[in-house]
Amino acid sequence: YSQNLFILNVAVSDVLIAVLGVIRGLGIISPMFMGYNVETETQNWWCSAYTFIGNTVWMSAVPVLVPLTLDRFVALVFPMRYRQVMTRINCRVMVASTWIVLIAIVIVDIVTVTNGSNELHYQTTYHRCVFEADLAWKKSVYVLFPFTVIIIMYITM
């Protein structure tokens, strides 16, 4: 059961990334679609929504691999205790917590834009909304920490 759930989790992340990439690649994301007004240089709420949804989906690629890697780690290192550790509830909690952390970090982005400490700007050159913020901490949470955990599990197998 656990393998199917983890593979489904990775598949959902990959499909969402592909859908957003196709939408962007086909040019559906345009100034008119984003509600950008060239004269006033303002954008509507969709620019913010697309940016926050996109950040969550695009940054999910590495963290969704952690539960799958943990499943394989437990199966190889503790084969006799696998069924006790990887229960349906534990598997669901791992998958849910991955997405909860991703969404929580995006909520922090929403709060910082709402209170004015960070801004979203529409970039006409690439037809995208750019989040003006320090992304170093976000990269460490989304990419470096999960990647480090995965590497450590593979080294210890």
Side-chain angles (χ1 to χ4, degrees):
Y1 171 77
S2 63
Q3 289 176 347
N4 293 339
L5 180 64
F6 298 141
I7 290 170
L8 177 67
N9 187 35
V10 172
V12 166
S13 172
D14 290 346
V15 166
L16 290 173
I17 290 169
V19 166
L20 284 177
V22 167
I23 287 173
R24 179 112 188 249
L26 290 175
I28 295 171
I29 303 302
S30 64
M32 186 185 341
F33 178 77
M34 295 308 266
Y36 181 73
N37 186 332
V38 179
E39 290 141 11
T40 62
E41 297 186 359
T42 59
Q43 66 271 345
N44 66 6
W45 65 273
W46 180 244
C47 187
S48 302
Y50 179 80
T51 301
F52 295 125
I53 292 168
N55 283 350
T56 303
V57 170
W58 291 315
M59 297 282 196
S60 71
V62 175
V64 297
L65 295 173
V66 173
L68 181 63
T69 305
L70 183 61
D71 177 67
R72 295 296 80 214
F73 176 79
V74 172
L76 292 172
V77 177
F78 306 107
M80 302 308 258
R81 297 188 56 208
Y82 178 79
R83 295 259 184 231
Q84 295 168 337
V85 174
M86 301 306 283
T87 63
R88 286 180 187 246
I89 292 172
N90 287 347
C91 295
R92 288 177 183 164
V93 167
M94 283 191 288
V95 169
S97 62
T98 301
W99 287 99
I100 288 169
V101 168
L102 291 170
I103 292 169
I105 292 171
V106 171
I107 289 173
V108 169
D109 289 346
I110 293 170
V111 169
T112 60
V113 167
T114 304
N115 72 15
S117 57
N118 288 313
E119 293 182 17
L120 272 172
H121 298 289
Y122 185 81
Q123 194 177 54
T124 55
T125 309
Y126 300 108
H127 300 300
R128 66 180 181 172
C129 295
V130 179
F131 186 62
E132 302 293 334
D134 178 25
L135 298 177
W137 71 272
K138 190 185 287 188
K139 288 178 184 174
S140 65
V141 171
Y142 279 114
V143 178
L144 296 178
F145 179 72
F147 188 68
T148 305
V149 170
I150 290 171
I151 294 297
I152 289 170
M153 281 192 275
Y154 275 115
I155 289 172
T156 58
M157 279 192 225

